[in-house]
């Protein structure tokens, strides 16, 4: 990680930590997911900077070395996108390339919906655009499809899931999170999801050093900031009512692993491949499904993902 610079900037009323590399080139803003950090982009930061780009990867609001407001309401989609609009201004840019993964992809979709003028082109990983459904709130939908033990549902009540996760070490928790490969989804029964005695072997793409970096940061901050994004899902749906039916009018590439749980949500594959995605993202230029790849695609296939990003943004 040598040569990656770190600084704090003031954006939208909070202090934000950013990792960056590369000087003077076009800016690529990289948005991580849950439960992650700027560090999830470590390979892409180095790879893209080597090709002349100025790569900026923040810890999003509530994560890592960025401030974590205490109020759940401070994690609305407007707050998070507002942080990024302010960051783009702090960077002295009119427009940037945006790359998102997981929650970062969801935030990126909304950034493009609210402020397409700020985004030259978008590469999103893992989470496809999902048009707002005025008839069903997201958490209620997940509960109806998957039941009460589905992770999105279990995350809702403040303090409960944090107390359950605290039964094991942060390191053990991250070994569990980052090695998930079940495309059927994440279910967290009340009797326990991960235990101290569980032996969880790491795949070749994930080192003990990586686990230590994540766990050290979350040991200090806890997971509440990131979990609060889920606690705002229903209220976000209400806030997004004015954008019902809106399109994403930014040049876009989408990449997903075929073992990613998000690729196996009901109806998602038909939506992606049978015209629905293109209807709502009319400037969608490419969809890549990577075989045998799970959710943490940018870490599992770092060089391939870097090449996919480069091949797209070099067009602009």
């Amino acid at each position: 990680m040598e040569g990656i610079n770190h600084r704090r900037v003031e954006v939208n009323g909070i202090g934000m930590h950013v990792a960056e590399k590369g000087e003077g080139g076009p800016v690529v803003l990289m948005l991580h997911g849950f439960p992650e950090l700027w560090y999830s982009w470590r390979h892409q930061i180095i790879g893209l900077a080597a090709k002349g780009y100025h790569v900026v990867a923040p810890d999003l609001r509530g994560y890592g070395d960025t401030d974590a407001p205490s109020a759940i309401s401070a994690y609305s989609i407007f707050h998070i996108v507002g942080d990024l609009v302010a960051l783009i201004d702090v960077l002295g840019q009119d427009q940037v390339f945006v790359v998102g993964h997981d929650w970062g992809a969801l935030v990126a979709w909304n950034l493009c919906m609210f402020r397409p003028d700020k985004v030259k082109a978008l590469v999103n990983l893992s989470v496809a655009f999902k048009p707002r459904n005025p008839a069903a709130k997201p958490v209620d939908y997940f509960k109806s499809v998957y039941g009460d033990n589905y992770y999105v549902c279990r995350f809702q009540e403040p303090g409960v899931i944090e107390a359950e996760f605290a039964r094991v070490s942060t390191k053990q928790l991250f070994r569990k999170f980052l090695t998930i490969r079940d495309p059927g989804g994440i279910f967290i029964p009340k009797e326990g999801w991960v235990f101290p005695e569980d032996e969880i072997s790491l795949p070749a793409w994930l080192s003990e050093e990586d686990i230590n970096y994540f766990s050290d940061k979350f040991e200090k901050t806890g997971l509440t900031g990131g979990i609060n994004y889920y606690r705002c899902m229903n209220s976000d749906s209400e806030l997004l009512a004015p954008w019902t039916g809106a399109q994403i009018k930014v040049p876009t590439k989408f990449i997903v692993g075929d073992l990613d749980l998000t690729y196996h949500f009901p109806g998602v594959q038909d939506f992606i491949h049978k015209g629905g995605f293109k209807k709502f993202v009319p400037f969608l230029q490419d969809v890549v499904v990577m075989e045998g790849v799970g959710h943490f695609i940018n870490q599992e296939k770092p060089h391939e993902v870097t090449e996919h990003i480069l091949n797209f943004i070099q067009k602009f």
Side-chain angles (χ1 to χ4, degrees):
M1 297 302 102
E2 288 179 16
I4 296 178
N5 299 312
H6 298 266
R7 61 174 167 143
R8 270 175 70 86
V9 295
E10 294 299 317
V11 297
N12 196 24
I14 65 167
M16 173 175 273
H17 164 252
V18 299
E20 58 189 332
K21 187 173 174 64
E23 292 292 334
V27 172
V28 183
L29 181 60
M30 314 201 83
L31 310 177
H32 67 79
F34 175 89
E36 299 181 79
L37 300 163
W38 75 268
Y39 187 82
S40 302
W41 298 111
R42 57 197 178 279
H43 306 293
Q44 287 76 32
I45 292 170
I46 292 166
L48 294 172
K51 296 294 186 179
Y53 291 91
H54 176 189
V55 190
V56 179
D59 286 336
L60 295 179
R61 172 180 290 241
Y63 285 93
D65 294 319
T66 290
D67 290 350
S70 56
I72 294 172
S73 59
Y75 293 85
S76 79
I77 195 65
F78 289 162
H79 287 86
I80 300 159
V81 171
D83 296 344
L84 300 177
V85 172
L87 176 59
I88 293 167
D89 289 344
V90 166
L91 294 169
Q93 302 296 307
D94 294 323
Q95 280 192 321
V96 297
F97 294 110
V98 176
V99 182
H101 170 253
D102 184 74
W103 257 105
L106 207 152
V107 172
W109 291 124
N110 283 283
L111 170 63
C112 292
M113 191 160 65
F114 302 154
R115 294 299 302 273
D117 58 305
K118 291 290 184 184
V119 184
K120 283 183 197 171
L122 170 68
V123 181
N124 257 349
L125 281 56
S126 180
V127 177
F129 180 71
K130 190 173 190 301
R132 178 180 181 271
N133 179 0
K137 293 180 179 178
V139 178
D140 303 349
Y141 167 78
F142 282 121
K143 186 173 287 192
S144 70
V145 172
Y146 292 112
D148 291 338
N149 283 346
Y150 193 61
Y151 76 105
V152 173
C153 307
R154 293 281 279 114
F155 281 4
Q156 294 303 312
E157 192 173 340
V160 172
I161 200 69
E162 291 95 328
E164 293 184 24
F165 286 159
R167 295 173 189 167
V168 300
S169 69
T170 309
K171 190 175 293 188
Q172 182 74 335
L173 188 63
F174 273 82
R175 292 178 81 91
K176 178 78 169 181
F177 264 125
L178 296 176
T179 57
I180 290 168
R181 288 188 77 78
D182 183 357
I186 305 170
F187 297 87
I188 303 178
K190 290 187 172 68
E191 56 270 22
W193 179 61
V194 57
F195 300 93
E197 64 274 13
D198 291 348
E199 290 194 16
I200 304 170
S201 57
L202 298 181
W205 53 267
L206 192 64
S207 70
E208 289 290 346
E209 183 183 5
D210 298 333
I211 293 289
N212 289 342
Y213 189 91
F214 284 111
S215 61
D216 286 350
K217 290 295 182 186
F218 281 93
E219 189 75 41
K220 294 171 187 168
T221 64
L223 278 87
T224 298
I227 293 171
N228 280 342
Y229 286 52
Y230 294 92
R231 292 173 179 149
C232 286
M233 287 175 76
N234 276 355
S235 55
D236 280 346
S237 180
E238 294 177 8
L239 293 171
L240 291 172
W243 288 271
T244 302
Q247 294 178 310
I248 306 295
K249 294 188 175 178
V250 167
T252 301
K253 179 173 185 169
F254 180 69
I255 309 168
V256 67
D258 67 350
L259 298 179
D260 194 322
L261 74 166
T262 64
Y263 191 57
H264 293 267
F265 287 159
V268 161
Q269 292 180 34
D270 281 352
F271 179 77
I272 290 173
H273 300 294
K274 294 185 177 179
F277 200 12
K278 182 74 172 176
K279 174 186 172 186
F280 283 95
V281 188
F283 303 142
L284 178 69
Q285 296 188 15
D286 198 8
V287 173
V288 177
V289 180
M290 297 179 72
E291 291 186 15
V293 181
H295 180 66
F296 296 101
I297 186 168
N298 44 333
Q299 299 183 72
E300 183 175 347
K301 293 292 182 183
H303 305 300
E304 293 91 332
V305 167
T306 300
E307 284 303 310
H308 277 305
I309 295 167
L310 271 171
N311 290 343
F312 187 64
I313 66 175
Q314 283 174 342
K315 297 176 183 178
F316 301 94

